[in-house]
Amino acid sequence: MKTLKSIEDIWLSAMKTSVTTLSALVGRDISVSSIERRSIEKIGMEILGKSYIVVSSAIQDITRLFFLLEDKDALTIATLMMGEENPIAEFNDISLSAISEAFSQMISAMALSLSEVIGGKLQIEPPKIYQLDDNAREMIFNEEFTGFRYGLVIAGSNSNIYQIVEKVSEEKLTPKVSAEIATNSEGKKPEENKVLTVDDASNIQPVTFQPLTVSQTKEEKISNLELLKDVPIQISVELGRTRMLIKDLLALSSGSIIELDKLAGEPVDILVNGKFIARGEVVVIDENFGVRITEILSPEKRLEEEQ
């Protein structure tokens, strides 16, 4: 568990972690060049006359938080997330989904970093994105919040992201240590571990174990197997797999076709509780699909396939 000097240190550590996550996600160099604490009033003055979007979320009961991004910076993140060569010029459902996914990963990394400070797993609220209008200003720019300005270098260009967080005391972000005295069912404090003396040695007796026999008759083995016959298992058939970029995933719609890694007519994989155990061919039984098993893999071959 980390020990940090102040709230600024905590948010700086969390933000650096989240930016590292974003950098790995888009495959481009993104770094934090500066961090400054800002009053709500000063942030309001600095963004005056510019168009910003808001990404809002919350980290459990620790704090509500908002990220303010100038439109051009938000579109840069969307472009990187979608792997586009040409910059995206306007917001649409796909670009907003890409920005939401980026900040979802960033805030999750931030929550993980905070959990190292205060202990325990922290849940986040799914990000929401909207334009910074008068209603949003009224909700965000009040005395309940404080702010930070992060200087970021995104793909070689300088950008600023404002983070506005609900004011919390440093005690709320400080590890809490609680100690409880274990009690038995009668509410009494249990005895401490007793140290035996020489006088107690006369009461010590050796433990005698019965010999362990491992041999089983054929009938006993069959009987043991019978006990397992009612255990349910999940059988699934895998037609194929593929990998795609986030931009391709976001572009999917009704009618889209996904190309898999198997050729037409190739055997399908049969899995038992997620483990690959056989191959087969797809058949039609009345109005339902079925699978005719063509090969059952040996344990050695299953290991080779998994590797």
Side-chain angles (χ1 to χ4, degrees):
M1 190 176 290
K2 296 179 181 178
T3 302
L4 299 173
K5 293 182 294 184
S6 65
I7 290 178
E8 284 88 344
D9 291 331
I10 293 171
W11 285 122
L12 175 58
S13 174
M15 188 64 179
K16 284 184 175 179
T17 300
S18 67
V19 168
T20 300
T21 299
L22 178 62
S23 180
L25 191 63
V26 301
R28 300 289 292 273
D29 184 34
I30 301 176
S31 59
V32 179
S33 60
S34 64
I35 175 174
E36 300 173 71
R37 191 160 190 169
R38 282 284 196 273
S39 67
I40 291 297
E41 294 78 10
K42 192 166 186 178
I43 292 176
M45 293 295 295
E46 290 179 352
I47 67 175
L48 198 62
K50 299 178 182 178
S51 182
Y52 277 76
I53 67 164
V54 181
V55 181
S56 67
S57 182
I59 299 179
Q60 204 155 299
D61 60 344
I62 303 298
T63 185
R64 290 176 291 164
L65 67 162
F66 304 87
F67 292 93
L68 306 184
L69 297 86
E70 199 170 350
D71 287 2
K72 64 179 181 63
D73 295 327
L75 290 170
T76 297
I77 291 176
T79 301
L80 294 175
M81 284 290 292
M82 296 171 64
E84 297 287 350
E85 294 182 3
N86 298 319
I88 297 173
E90 60 183 13
F91 294 111
N92 54 36
D93 290 343
I94 295 177
S95 60
L96 290 175
S97 294
I99 296 168
S100 177
E101 176 61 23
F103 275 88
S104 178
Q105 297 294 331
M106 289 178 66
I107 297 168
S108 294
M110 187 172 285
L112 181 61
S113 180
L114 285 174
S115 70
E116 295 178 359
V117 177
I118 64 177
K121 186 177 180 180
L122 301 177
Q123 302 294 328
I124 72 165
E125 181 182 291
K128 299 175 183 176
I129 300 179
Y130 42 88
Q131 203 69 37
L132 181 62
D133 55 17
D134 291 340
N135 291 332
R137 286 176 180 273
E138 185 177 350
M139 177 176 61
I140 297 172
F141 290 94
N142 61 66
E143 60 184 13
E144 295 180 14
F145 295 92
T146 187
F148 300 88
R149 186 180 74 174
Y150 300 100
L152 300 185
V153 181
I154 303 177
S157 300
N158 294 320
S159 303
N160 288 318
I161 292 182
Y162 293 93
Q163 180 188 13
I164 296 177
V165 297
E166 188 177 9
K167 290 179 180 178
V168 292
S169 64
E170 296 202 15
E171 288 76 13
K172 198 171 184 180
L173 293 176
T174 301
K176 301 178 178 65
V177 180
S178 61
E180 295 181 355
I181 298 176
T183 57
N184 57 22
S185 59
E186 297 179 355
K188 297 179 181 178
K189 183 178 178 180
E191 292 184 11
E192 297 180 358
N193 293 336
K194 184 178 180 181
V195 179
L196 296 178
T197 64
V198 176
D199 295 334
D200 297 318
S202 59
N203 296 324
I204 299 175
Q205 301 295 329
V207 178
T208 303
F209 295 99
Q210 295 295 327
L212 177 65
T213 57
V214 295
S215 60
Q216 285 184 308
T217 64
K218 183 177 180 181
E219 290 75 13
E220 288 174 330
K221 291 180 180 179
I222 294 175
S223 177
N224 289 340
L225 186 60
E226 290 291 332
L227 296 174
L228 301 176
K229 286 188 175 181
D230 290 336
V231 176
I233 58 174
Q234 180 73 36
I235 297 179
S236 54
V237 177
E238 187 175 279
L239 184 61
R241 298 185 181 190
T242 191
R243 297 175 67 88
M244 61 174 56
L245 299 174
I246 290 178
K247 68 171 183 177
D248 298 324
L249 178 65
L250 295 173
L252 293 178
S253 61
S254 179
S256 298
I257 296 176
I258 300 175
E259 184 177 353
L260 303 177
D261 59 358
K262 285 188 180 292
L263 299 175
E266 269 195 89
V268 294
D269 297 335
I270 301 171
L271 299 91
V272 174
N273 285 350
K275 295 294 183 181
F276 179 33
I277 60 104
R279 291 190 176 94
E281 58 183 20
V282 178
V283 297
V284 177
I285 306 171
D286 296 329
E287 296 181 354
N288 297 324
F289 285 113
V291 178
R292 179 186 290 114
I293 295 176
T294 58
E295 179 187 7
I296 295 179
L297 275 65
S298 65
E300 293 80 8
K301 194 166 185 179
R302 288 206 301 271
L303 286 174
E304 292 177 5
E305 293 287 344
E306 289 180 0
Q307 292 173 354

